[in-house]
């Protein structure tokens, strides 16, 4: 009998009941705008910021409209100007170079290793080309953050961490988003907390925090924030910082607060699924499992493996055969960006140099979502299907 999988790769879990109740009370009072608060009321958005700052051990936090907006705000706050080069990963998704382009700056792509992290030798070689690194922890893979920070500190590079895929992850016990000057997170449906759309930005730097608040559209109501610097810091920057509205609203914040309280438990559940998949794929001929470094605490909300040096038509055949059995795989080697995949050379608004070593890795990356609606038995079945189809094509 040929086994097939019938679950959905895009179905997340429902919003928890306590989050629904919190959302309904916001709807009942109608004060959705973050600065629309009753006398004495703190507001869901301000409370969310206060709680996330505490959870991450950060001094300041700002909630915004999306992860991509948080990235662009971070770039503006650190002073990236039109025409400036910004280092970033060759292996990432469109919102990352998009945020750089949105401020008129130029992405300078840094290669990817077989461990799916930024190539630190390539970064060191390009360190004199820009003053800012937008570091994308793409698909949750953390590079050696100690070495990365050494390279960047020595070269005077400001690091912005794109933690869209690493909320809940850590390197050597330091939470992702806490090593760079600013950490940015996404709360979009496919991420680790789900408010449909949304983003969070954290920093310990008072001036960057104040600029980010003004940039997000605070109408000078910054004193209503609970995780922002003191008014004197705003006084210094408020006349020179534009308003580029992209606020979070109280409805989304209400949905997020209970989910953030559950984050650790959700991470455990993701990782149980990830380990079942990883174990099921180990030892498959022709398939390389991406080994996770010991220093990395990851969140297995997706899994990647490599079909290194496979011909394109054979990779396509694996994807087609798995698809026919209900297993949705994405490929980063395709010539055209499809769905959520894309390559550094498909962003034609940004110049790129050829990167043969990265091209080889990208051409082999297969990517799969792991929603929490999958059971452990689902994960075993999915791994069996992938293993069988990779073997069939490899041996043919
Ligand atoms: C790697 C990465 N960075 C940033 C973002 C931006 O997040 P958002 O969709 O909330 O703008 C995404 C979203 O898919 C992403 O995958």
């Amino acid at each position: 009998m040929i086994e097939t999988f019938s679950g959905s790769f895009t179905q997340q879990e429902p919003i928890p009941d306590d989050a629904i109740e919190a959302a309904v009370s916001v709807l009942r009072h109608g004060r959705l705008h973050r600065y629309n608060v009753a006398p004495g009321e703190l507001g869901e958005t301000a409370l969310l910021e206060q709680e996330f700052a505490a959870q991450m051990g950060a001094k300041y936090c700002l909630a915004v409209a999306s992860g991509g907006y948080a990235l662009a705000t971070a770039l503006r706050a650190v002073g990236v100007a039109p025409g400036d080069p910004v280092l970033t990963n060759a292996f990432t998704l469109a919102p990352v170079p998009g945020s750089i382009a949105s401020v008129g700056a130029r992405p300078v792509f840094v290669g990817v290793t077989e461990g799916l992290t930024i190539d630190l030798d390539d970064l060191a070689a390009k360190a004199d080309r820009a003053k800012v690194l937008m570091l994308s922890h793409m698909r949750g893979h953390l590079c050696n953050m100690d070495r990365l920070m050494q390279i960047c500190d020595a070269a005077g590079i400001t690091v912005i961490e794109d933690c869209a895929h690493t909320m809940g992850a850590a390197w050597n016990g330091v939470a992702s988003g806490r090593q760079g000057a600013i950490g940015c997170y996404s709360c979009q449906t496919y991420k680790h907390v789900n408010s449909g759309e949304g983003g969070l930005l954290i920093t310990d730097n008072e001036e960057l925090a104040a600029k980010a608040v003004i940039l997000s559209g605070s109408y000078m109501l910054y004193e209503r924030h609970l995780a922002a610097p003191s008014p004197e810091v705003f006084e210094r920057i408020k006349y020179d910082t534009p308003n580029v509205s992209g606020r979070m609203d109280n409805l989304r914040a209400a949905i997020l607060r209970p989910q953030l309280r559950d984050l650790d438990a959700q991470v455990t559940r993701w990782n149980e699924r990830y380990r079942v998949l990883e174990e099921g794929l180990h030892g498959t001929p022709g398939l390389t499992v991406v080994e996770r470094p010991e220093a990395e605490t990851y969140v297995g909300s997706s899994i990647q493996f490599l079909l290194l040096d496979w011909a394109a038509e054979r990779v396509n055949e694996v994807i087609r055969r798995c698809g026919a059995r209900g297993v949705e795989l994405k490929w980063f080697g395709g010539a055209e960006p499809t769905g959520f995949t894309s390559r550094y050379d498909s962003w034609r608004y940004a110049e790129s140099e050829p990167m043969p070593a990265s091209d080889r890795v990208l051409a082999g990356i297969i990517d799969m979502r792991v929603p929490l609606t999958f059971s452990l038995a689902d994960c075993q079945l999915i791994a069996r299907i992938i293993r069988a189809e990779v073997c069939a094509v490899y041996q043919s």
Side-chain angles (χ1 to χ4, degrees), residues 65-71 92-96 136-139 162-165 185-188 190-191 196-199 340:
S66 72
Y69 181 87
L71 298 179
T92 185
L93 288 174
V96 178
S136 184
H137 301 301
M138 177 61 176
R139 287 294 184 254
D162 165 26
C163 308
H165 303 169
Y185 306 79
S186 167
C187 310
Q188 184 235 71
Y190 299 111
K191 304 301 190 317
E197 301 285 354
F340 285 84

Side-chain angles (χ1 to χ4, degrees), residues 78-321:
V78 302
V80 172
D84 284 354
V86 176
L87 293 157
T88 196
N89 306 58
F91 173 47
T92 185
L93 288 174
V96 178
S99 70
I100 297 169
S102 79
V103 299
R106 287 186 295 116
V108 176
F109 294 108
V110 183
V112 58
T113 66
E114 287 181 29
L116 304 191
T117 58
I118 193 163
D119 180 338
L120 294 176
D121 294 332
D122 195 28
L123 177 66
K126 292 175 178 164
D128 60 351
R129 296 218 209 153
K131 285 286 152 220
V132 174
L133 166 66
M134 169 65 78
L135 171 65
S136 184
H137 301 301
M138 177 61 176
R139 287 294 184 254
H141 296 273
L142 291 172
C143 69
N144 181 337
M145 285 300 294
D146 306 323
R147 182 162 171 231
L148 178 127
M149 290 310 298
Q150 273 164 13
I151 294 169
C152 291
D153 289 346
I157 293 173
T158 301
V159 179
I160 298 169
E161 290 184 70
D162 165 26
C163 308
H165 303 169
T166 53
M167 182 188 277
W171 180 264
N172 266 333
V174 181
S176 180
R178 295 295 292 130
Q179 305 225 33
I182 300 183
C184 300
Y185 306 79
S186 167
C187 310
Q188 184 235 71
T189 295
Y190 299 111
K191 304 301 190 317
H192 301 171
V193 287
N194 174 12
S195 57
E197 301 285 354
L200 290 159
L201 179 158
I202 57 170
T203 181
D204 284 347
N205 180 304
E206 60 179 21
E207 192 158 313
L208 296 181
K211 284 183 178 166
V213 169
I214 301 272
L215 283 161
S216 74
S218 65
Y219 304 116
M220 302 299 167
L221 296 170
Y222 44 78
E223 291 190 48
R224 294 192 194 166
H225 285 244
L226 298 172
S230 60
E232 306 79 74
V233 184
F234 286 91
E235 291 299 326
R236 296 206 297 266
I237 54 97
K238 69 183 191 184
Y239 300 110
D240 300 309
T241 308
N243 176 325
V244 188
S245 289
R247 292 171 300 273
M248 164 78 65
D249 60 81
N250 286 332
L251 184 56
R252 286 177 193 167
I255 295 172
L256 289 170
R257 290 177 61 210
Q259 293 184 57
L260 281 167
R261 292 198 276 273
D262 275 351
L263 183 64
D264 289 348
Q266 299 291 79
V267 170
T268 303
R269 295 175 62 218
W270 258 305
N271 290 350
E272 283 165 1
R273 285 153 182 76
Y274 185 94
R275 288 191 193 108
V276 168
L277 285 159
E278 190 183 45
E279 195 183 309
L281 295 178
H282 258 133
T284 306
L287 179 153
T288 309
V289 169
V290 181
E291 299 298 342
R292 312 298 301 233
E294 215 166 284
E296 184 194 32
T297 304
Y298 57 87
V299 185
S301 56
S302 70
I303 190 163
Q304 294 69 44
F305 58 85
L306 295 169
L307 299 180
L308 265 184
D309 304 322
W310 283 48
E313 61 278 11
R314 291 165 78 79
V315 176
N316 270 323
E317 181 62 3
V318 168
I319 292 169
R320 189 195 64 72
R321 291 172 72 125

